[in-house]
Amino acid sequence: MTYHPFKDHGSWKMLIGGAFVPGGAGDVLEVTNPATGEVMGQAPAASRADVAAAVAAAEEAFTTWRWTAPEKRGEMLYDIAQRIGEHHDELVDLETWENGKPRVQSKRDVTNAERTFRFYAGAADKFYGHSVYDGPTETRKIVFEPYGVVAVIIPWNWPPMHTADFAALALATGNTVVLKPAPETPLSSLRIAELAADVLPPGVLNVVTGGVDTGVQLVAHPDIDFIAFTGSDRTGEKILAEAARRILPSMMELGGKNASLIFPDADLDKAVEGMLRSAYFNSGQACSGSERVLVHEKVYKAFMERFTAAVAGMAVGEGFDERSVVGPMVSKRQQEKVQGALDRATAAGARIPARAELPRDARLKGGYWIPPTVVTEAAPDAEIMTEEVFGPVAGIIPFKDEDEAVAIANAVSYGLTSGVWTRDLGVAHRMATRLEAGVVSVNRVNTGELGLPFGGYKRSGVGRKKDFQEAMRSFSRVKAIQIALP
Ligand code: NAD
């Protein structure tokens, strides 16, 4: 039996100051099943007063949370991880309903959320400043302090994991949080907030749901001390403009147009398998996925034969069907965005040598489907090869040597992840150093491993998450203290 977000849960409320509230203005978000296009039910949309109440609650809670012993904060984060584990199946179903992805992919996401809370539970009491000089008449030291109230704004592609990434990190470093999930997928964050509310003091974690307006109000609130944003670079730009006006520190996890480079000596079977995963996992709605596959001309034909055959055979279907490898787009808007990019590419001369089949079930007719698609014969500087599509579209580009591969890979405004497939250690090392990306993976696909800093170069963002040192520092301000001893 699957857990239904409305039949099994009942009405959804926001978490503000430790209380579950329905939303002051009575506005609602419609929660849709992306596989059918049917509205399943409603979640609240925060009013301006709700946002203000959440920030006030976080500010109030900060006065004690910041002085709560780190090991105590860690214990609470550990308890949240335990609770996520105990409610694993239900969270997996929730995500599958609201996002549409295959259940096996939701499982990975919920497990990652649990692990992230556990990771930062362990990190909370292992992050501390140090003494620079300790003499008989003077002491000098460096300490890390929390910022205060962190506004967390996240997208819809991995809702439990995005909730955990910034909430666990902010709480571990002694900050309090007001989190706003994407309007397409509010339920995973609300459910995690319900589980956390039994553990945390009131106001330490607040979740307000809503769309762009709620995000704008949250970012503009004068009592926010730090902004942690994950989403598109265009929204990041707007948020940074507001942050710049107020000289507000912020972390930006933005888009990508990632390239994977396949060299002639690569294990082609592994490379094909890796590219299927990298380009089409989560229906291509993955900031770290490879939207560009650069293939050396010596193996182009062999790669294309295997890759196009595999793509044509990918099973597209609803998330609760165990045979599905690829689910729908999250929303009609996303479906139209991806289809628009494909239409413009083919109108400009690109070819589509392979495409998977759409689901045949009449029940899924209204779903937001885009089948896994391969695009060729578009110039490396064409829109489809340079602008983020954020859908199941892999653009294939041939290259003749290392220099050309690096030039093409780096010639976009983004720099989030890169992949290299080769058996030659020299090539691997040269590519890893020359590629402009925050993460380079050789002979494997990036899977957002905890412990490795994740973040982008160029328009892909500012700051790092998922690791210990960089992430904990990003969410802390540095103070130098010098005391002349009497
Ligand atoms: P988006 O920027 O449209 O929205 C993201 C979030 O910001 C949502 O919660 C939205 O309601 C909110 N928002 C929108 N406009 C706002 C504004 N002016 N002020 C405040 N909040 C606002 O992005 P999306 O389409 O929902 O998500 C897809 C994007 O996210 C892609 O570009 C993808 O690459 C990126 N992404 C990046 C990472 C990463 O870690 N680097 C991870 C996942 C997704």
Side-chain angles (χ1 to χ4, degrees):
M1 275 295 280
T2 62
Y3 178 89
H4 192 277
F6 294 94
K7 290 178 197 143
D8 294 314
H9 183 279
S11 67
W12 289 88
K13 298 197 170 80
M14 300 184 288
L15 177 63
I16 298 179
F20 292 99
V21 299
D27 281 350
V28 291
L29 295 175
E30 297 209 312
V31 184
T32 304
N33 176 357
T36 60
E38 286 158 5
V39 175
M40 296 186 289
Q42 295 169 336
S47 65
R48 190 178 287 276
D50 295 325
V51 172
V55 176
E59 221 190 349
E60 166 72 25
F62 180 66
T63 57
T64 45
W65 184 250
R66 68 167 303 183
W67 301 120
T68 302
E71 62 273 18
K72 183 84 193 132
R73 292 202 298 258
E75 278 167 23
M76 290 186 230
L77 294 181
Y78 190 82
D79 286 348
I80 296 172
Q82 292 290 98
R83 308 204 83 216
I84 291 174
E86 285 157 17
H87 293 266
H88 175 90
D89 288 348
E90 164 194 321
L91 283 161
V92 166
D93 288 345
L94 267 188
E95 184 180 10
T96 308
W97 279 116
E98 66 176 352
N99 175 283
K101 67 182 68 178
R103 209 171 172 280
V104 64
Q105 296 181 16
S106 305
K107 278 179 90 65
R108 178 181 167 270
D109 199 8
V110 173
T111 302
N112 277 339
E114 179 188 339
R115 282 193 188 139
T116 301
F117 271 100
R118 200 162 282 131
F119 182 87
Y120 286 111
D125 62 354
K126 293 167 197 69
F127 180 69
Y128 33 73
H130 42 269
S131 166
V132 177
Y133 172 76
D134 245 332
T137 57
E138 187 166 324
T139 177
R140 296 176 211 153
K141 58 180 181 166
I142 296 169
V143 296
F144 297 110
E145 294 182 341
Y147 279 102
V149 179
V150 176
V152 175
I153 298 179
I154 58 171
W156 37 259
N157 57 340
W158 332 99
M161 197 175 73
H162 286 314
T163 301
D165 272 350
F166 283 152
L169 173 55
L171 298 179
T173 40
N175 299 284
T176 55
V177 172
V178 179
L179 181 142
K180 189 199 87 66
E184 294 85 351
T185 55
L187 306 182
S188 299
S189 302
L190 289 176
R191 187 69 189 115
I192 290 175
E194 287 175 0
L195 300 174
D198 292 340
V199 175
L200 295 169
V204 166
L205 172 66
N206 306 273
V207 176
V208 290
T209 44
V212 175
D213 290 350
T214 309
V216 169
Q217 286 159 16
L218 181 56
V219 167
H221 196 290
D223 295 331
I224 291 295
D225 300 295
F226 185 90
I227 304 168
F229 172 72
T230 304
S232 64
D233 57 320
R234 291 200 170 65
T235 305
E237 207 178 298
K238 289 183 199 153
I239 293 177
L240 276 176
E242 172 64 16
R245 202 177 59 75
R246 287 153 56 200
I247 324 244
L248 208 54
S250 50
M251 162 174 280
M252 297 281 133
E253 293 293 348
L254 309 176
K257 189 71 186 176
N258 312 305
S260 281
L261 282 46
I262 299 172
F263 284 88
D265 64 336
D267 179 331
L268 264 201
D269 287 333
K270 288 223 167 91
V272 167
E273 198 188 303
M275 288 306 95
L276 291 173
R277 187 184 157 88
S278 186
Y280 302 119
F281 191 74
N282 215 31
S283 302
Q285 302 167 129
C287 56
S288 57
S290 293
E291 292 198 0
R292 295 181 297 157
V293 184
L294 276 51
V295 188
H296 193 281
E297 56 194 21
K298 276 194 193 148
V299 283
Y300 188 85
K301 191 161 171 281
F303 175 85
M304 286 302 282
E305 274 167 15
R306 293 183 214 188
F307 189 65
T308 51
V311 171
M314 287 182 104
V316 182
E318 66 181 325
F320 288 105
D321 183 337
E322 280 180 8
R323 292 165 301 182
S324 305
V325 179
V326 175
M329 300 285 92
V330 74
S331 62
K332 180 118 198 106
R333 181 176 143 238
Q334 192 63 18
Q335 182 196 30
E336 286 170 358
K337 182 176 166 251
V338 176
Q339 191 56 55
L342 282 171
D343 291 345
R344 287 192 297 281
T346 46
R351 276 192 56 235
I352 295 184
R355 225 173 179 189
E357 281 182 30
L358 288 174
R360 295 213 181 107
D361 189 338
R363 215 169 39 79
L364 307 181
K365 220 170 171 308
Y368 311 133
W369 304 101
I370 299 274
T373 303
V374 182
V375 174
T376 56
E377 283 163 56
D381 61 355
E383 180 200 333
I384 194 81
M385 298 300 188
T386 52
E387 294 288 322
E388 184 182 51
V389 174
F390 219 58
V393 177
I396 320 287
I397 308 173
F399 69 88
K400 62 177 186 313
D401 58 25
E402 287 180 31
D403 286 343
E404 190 183 26
V406 170
I408 295 171
N410 289 345
V412 293
S413 56
Y414 299 102
L416 192 53
T417 72
S418 263
V420 183
W421 296 80
T422 179
R423 288 185 173 99
D424 183 326
L425 271 181
V427 174
H429 183 73
R430 281 193 297 279
M431 292 302 105
T433 50
R434 293 179 71 190
L435 288 166
E436 292 172 358
V439 181
V440 179
S441 309
V442 179
N443 295 330
R444 57 158 296 165
V445 170
N446 173 65
T447 43
E449 252 42 77
L450 275 167
L452 279 179
F454 183 83
Y457 283 17
K458 304 194 277 185
R459 281 186 77 89
S460 290
V462 184
R464 296 294 181 269
K465 62 183 182 185
K466 290 191 183 291
D467 79 315
F468 177 64
Q469 193 84 352
E470 295 296 326
M472 298 290 278
R473 280 199 179 197
S474 298
F475 275 64
S476 310
R477 50 185 162 190
V478 182
K479 182 182 273 176
I481 300 179
Q482 46 188 351
I483 305 174
L485 301 166

